[in-house]
Amino acid sequence: MVKKYFLLFTAFVLLNFCILAKPLEEQNPEVKSIFVLSEKILHKENLTADEMIKASLYFDFVQPGSDYEKTYLEKFRTYVKKLKGSFGKNLSEKEKAGAILDFLYEKIIFQYEENQNHLDVTFDEGRYNCVTSSILYAAFCKACGIQVEGNLVPGHVYCSVIVDGQRIDVECTNPAGFDPKTSTSGSKRGGQYNYVPASRYKNSRPISDKMLVSLIPKNLAAELNEQKDFEKAVPLAYTRFLFLKEENSPENDGQNVFEITCNNYVSDLQKGENYRQVLSWMDQWYETFSFSKRLTEIYQNAVYNEMVEQLYGENFQEAENIINSHENILSRESVEENRQIIFIARMENQLVNLPVLDGIEETQKLMQSDLYKSSKEIKNKVDEWFVYFAVQHSNSFFQDDNDLEAAKTADKYLQILPGNAALKGLSNTHWHNYDVAIHNKVAPLFNSKKYSEAKVLLEEGLKNHPDSIMLKNDLERVKKLL
């Protein structure tokens, strides 16, 4: 089985999050190769039989040159000798290719296990999956001089041999898998599919030896990701990325797997709000590894979350320091956006406890700033606070039954923010209250037939509020009775 990778969601932290107890900061995984990749290996697509076995072991954390490596390399070479000795005289290449699969099942493998990705376990216990069986089959073919390559289908890998002028598929998970498109084959068993439906083989894509071997670290890294063992997963995925760096094929997912592994580690750290640890870790290898769009986004998210945490604690200068110290990695848009957030947070912290008139004065000063004129977000936020204080000031007169002053105050602030819906509504409300107050004063005069006094009161009201339809109607009624 070829593992699929799942990208964990790295969430943004909201300003109203709860502070959780943080665990002690752990050692970050190293972004370095788990073994030395020779220039010879880096610049070639096709590997020798020994190189396939060695690389498969190295990707399973076996140290190059160790006795452990030598043990399994010697096992492989011994099997190769036995295999070559088992060939009868005058066998065709096709017959040899079929005999190799037979040999594999007679001498080495016998129990299929989907998630068994360790070549040493396959040698010792016979347990295998599509990756380990395909690598072994390909290595034995190479050792016997038979042209072979791997093929990928969704979630699966198998081999093909090019023999006697033919391309023949070999389903390595099945002892009867030689030439599965036919009912007979060069092996001792009739060919058949087993692991995946035959229809899926139509979408197969040939891959290089390096891509085939790289499926071991891909699967192992996926398992380590699931276990959250990032100390091993990150360097393993990074080594695979380097191993495939010069692989020019659409199947090369080396960088993608590495970046997903990094993202998953970062996501795990950020669940514990260890944003600064994320930044210190990524800073260590930024200079030697060019950040892709995804890595830049991961980094920007961590900067944002650390900044927000500082803002939550009202550490505004520290929040600014975080942006300034990482400005060279962040995009210009991200830097500007974060600085606007800091500006707004600092501003709101200063405004929230100000007396009303001080708040009016301060927000008017802010309206003269360059940021107010250049940033829509800051303008909207300053306007919101100005309206908040304007409403408080205007309503203070209403509470003292001074509807006229409340209305005039609302109009004064509406002139500063023309067209503001909230202030327009505030003005209309207070003028309506003023009209109602005059109307209510006129009513008893009207009922007492004191029309002249009512007329004076209404004319005074219209002088203050010339557009009042209510007062105009009242005045017309009074005039008719004079």
Side-chain angles (χ1 to χ4, degrees):
M1 177 183 182
V2 179
K3 291 272 190 176
K4 292 183 178 180
Y5 269 71
F6 297 94
L7 180 65
L8 300 178
F9 177 66
T10 304
F12 286 99
V13 177
L14 301 179
L15 284 171
N16 60 346
F17 59 72
C18 296
I19 298 294
L20 303 176
K22 293 185 180 180
L24 292 175
E25 185 172 307
E26 298 180 357
Q27 182 70 33
N28 285 318
E30 293 185 291
V31 181
K32 70 175 187 178
S33 181
I34 62 173
F35 61 89
V36 177
L37 294 162
S38 69
E39 289 297 315
K40 181 181 176 182
I41 292 292
L42 288 175
H43 297 302
K44 63 190 298 189
E45 289 186 3
N46 295 317
L47 306 177
T48 66
D50 280 6
E51 286 172 341
M52 292 187 76
I53 299 300
K54 287 180 179 181
S56 299
L57 292 170
Y58 297 163
F59 276 122
D60 203 4
F61 299 94
V62 173
Q63 290 300 310
S66 65
D67 290 340
Y68 203 82
E69 175 205 339
K70 294 174 183 177
T71 295
Y72 289 94
L73 191 58
E74 186 57 36
K75 278 189 178 184
F76 171 70
R77 290 170 177 170
T78 300
Y79 279 126
V80 169
K81 290 179 182 178
K82 290 181 180 179
L83 172 62
K84 289 181 176 180
S86 70
F87 290 155
K89 292 183 178 181
N90 302 319
L91 282 184
S92 67
E93 283 193 330
K94 181 178 179 180
E95 290 171 328
K96 286 181 180 180
I100 290 172
L101 187 66
D102 293 336
F103 180 86
L104 202 58
Y105 275 90
E106 289 171 359
K107 302 296 183 181
I108 303 176
I109 63 177
F110 59 88
Q111 181 181 337
Y112 177 80
E113 189 174 301
E114 186 175 43
N115 294 316
Q116 205 299 95
N117 294 289
H118 307 280
L119 203 63
D120 55 348
V121 173
T122 302
F123 273 120
D124 290 341
E125 302 175 19
R127 293 185 288 122
Y128 67 95
N129 66 0
C130 64
V131 176
T132 50
S133 60
S134 293
I135 289 173
L136 276 180
Y137 180 80
F140 278 117
C141 282
K142 284 176 174 290
C144 294
I146 294 174
Q147 187 178 350
V148 62
E149 63 184 18
N151 301 282
L152 273 179
V153 295
H156 183 55
V157 66
Y158 67 100
C159 288
S160 291
V161 290
I162 296 85
V163 291
D164 301 333
Q166 293 179 280
R167 182 185 181 86
I168 298 175
D169 291 343
V170 184
E171 176 46 73
C172 301
T173 60
N174 187 348
F178 189 83
D179 199 5
K181 296 176 183 176
T182 64
S183 58
T184 59
S185 71
S187 74
K188 300 175 183 176
R189 306 166 182 83
Q192 58 180 288
Y193 292 100
N194 186 40
Y195 187 83
V196 295
S199 60
R200 284 176 57 183
Y201 287 78
K202 296 177 182 178
N203 299 318
S204 68
R205 308 179 305 278
I207 57 174
S208 68
D209 298 340
K210 288 173 73 173
M211 274 303 306
L212 177 58
V213 169
S214 79
L215 297 178
I216 281 186
K218 179 178 181 178
N219 286 354
L220 292 177
E223 293 174 6
L224 293 167
N225 266 274
E226 292 170 4
Q227 299 162 9
K228 296 186 177 181
D229 187 353
F230 298 109
E231 185 177 353
K232 288 184 176 180
V234 169
L236 179 59
Y238 180 66
T239 308
R240 181 176 183 267
F241 161 71
L242 294 178
F243 184 70
L244 296 175
K245 195 169 184 179
E246 296 192 17
E247 174 83 11
N248 186 22
S249 72
E251 288 73 40
N252 184 355
D253 57 354
Q255 181 164 343
N256 184 55
V257 168
F258 170 64
E259 290 181 0
I260 289 175
T261 302
C262 291
N263 185 84
N264 290 346
Y265 174 59
V266 167
S267 178
D268 193 60
L269 285 179
Q270 295 201 126
K271 286 178 182 177
E273 298 177 10
N274 296 308
Y275 315 120
R276 196 175 291 267
Q277 185 177 349
V278 172
L279 296 176
S280 66
W281 177 59
M282 296 186 75
D283 283 341
Q284 290 173 10
W285 48 278
Y286 168 72
E287 296 297 333
T288 57
F289 189 91
S290 179
F291 277 13
S292 65
K293 181 179 179 181
R294 175 188 285 157
L295 288 176
T296 300
E297 288 175 351
I298 293 170
Y299 192 86
Q300 289 180 168
N301 290 353
V303 170
Y304 173 84
N305 288 335
E306 176 62 17
M307 176 195 71
V308 168
E309 185 170 80
Q310 297 303 322
L311 294 179
Y312 189 86
E314 299 182 6
N315 301 315
F316 304 108
Q317 187 56 55
E318 182 59 26
E320 286 187 7
N321 292 342
I322 289 167
I323 303 304
N324 293 337
S325 61
H326 300 96
E327 185 175 357
N328 63 318
I329 303 178
L330 302 175
S331 68
R332 184 177 66 179
E333 293 78 10
S334 177
V335 170
E336 291 177 355
E337 180 182 341
N338 288 332
R339 283 178 175 159
Q340 288 175 9
I341 292 171
I342 294 170
F343 180 90
I344 290 171
R346 189 195 295 270
M347 176 192 74
E348 291 187 325
N349 180 262
Q350 293 171 345
L351 294 177
V352 68
N353 294 316
L354 286 181
V356 170
L357 292 180
D358 290 346
I360 292 289
E361 181 181 357
E362 190 61 33
T363 49
Q364 285 185 280
K365 288 180 182 177
L366 289 169
M367 289 176 179
Q368 305 306 312
S369 69
D370 291 338
L371 279 174
Y372 178 87
K373 297 171 184 176
S374 62
S375 169
K376 182 178 179 181
E377 289 76 14
I378 289 177
K379 180 183 184 304
N380 289 341
K381 188 60 66 173
V382 172
D383 288 352
E384 285 178 15
W385 276 95
F386 177 79
V387 170
Y388 167 78
F389 288 121
V391 169
Q392 299 299 315
H393 189 204
S394 183
N395 285 346
S396 67
F397 295 106
F398 170 73
Q399 292 167 0
D400 294 334
D401 292 328
N402 192 342
D403 298 307
L404 177 59
E405 196 60 35
K408 286 182 177 180
T409 301
D411 279 356
K412 178 179 69 174
Y413 294 134
L414 185 58
Q415 289 177 0
I416 296 173
L417 283 182
N420 184 274
L423 293 180
K424 183 65 176 175
L426 181 69
S427 172
N428 291 339
T429 298
H430 285 313
W431 279 120
H432 175 75
N433 291 339
Y434 173 74
D435 293 347
V436 170
I438 297 297
H439 175 84
N440 289 341
K441 289 179 181 179
V442 166
L445 296 174
F446 186 88
N447 293 334
S448 302
K449 299 181 180 181
K450 297 179 180 179
Y451 303 123
S452 296
E453 293 181 37
K455 178 175 176 291
V456 171
L457 190 57
L458 287 167
E459 287 175 340
E460 182 182 349
L462 282 167
K463 184 184 295 185
N464 292 322
H465 191 201
D467 298 328
S468 172
I469 295 175
M470 180 187 295
L471 297 186
K472 287 178 181 179
N473 290 338
D474 287 350
L475 183 58
E476 287 299 318
R477 291 177 62 194
V478 168
K479 285 180 178 180
K480 288 178 181 179
L481 296 173
L482 284 174

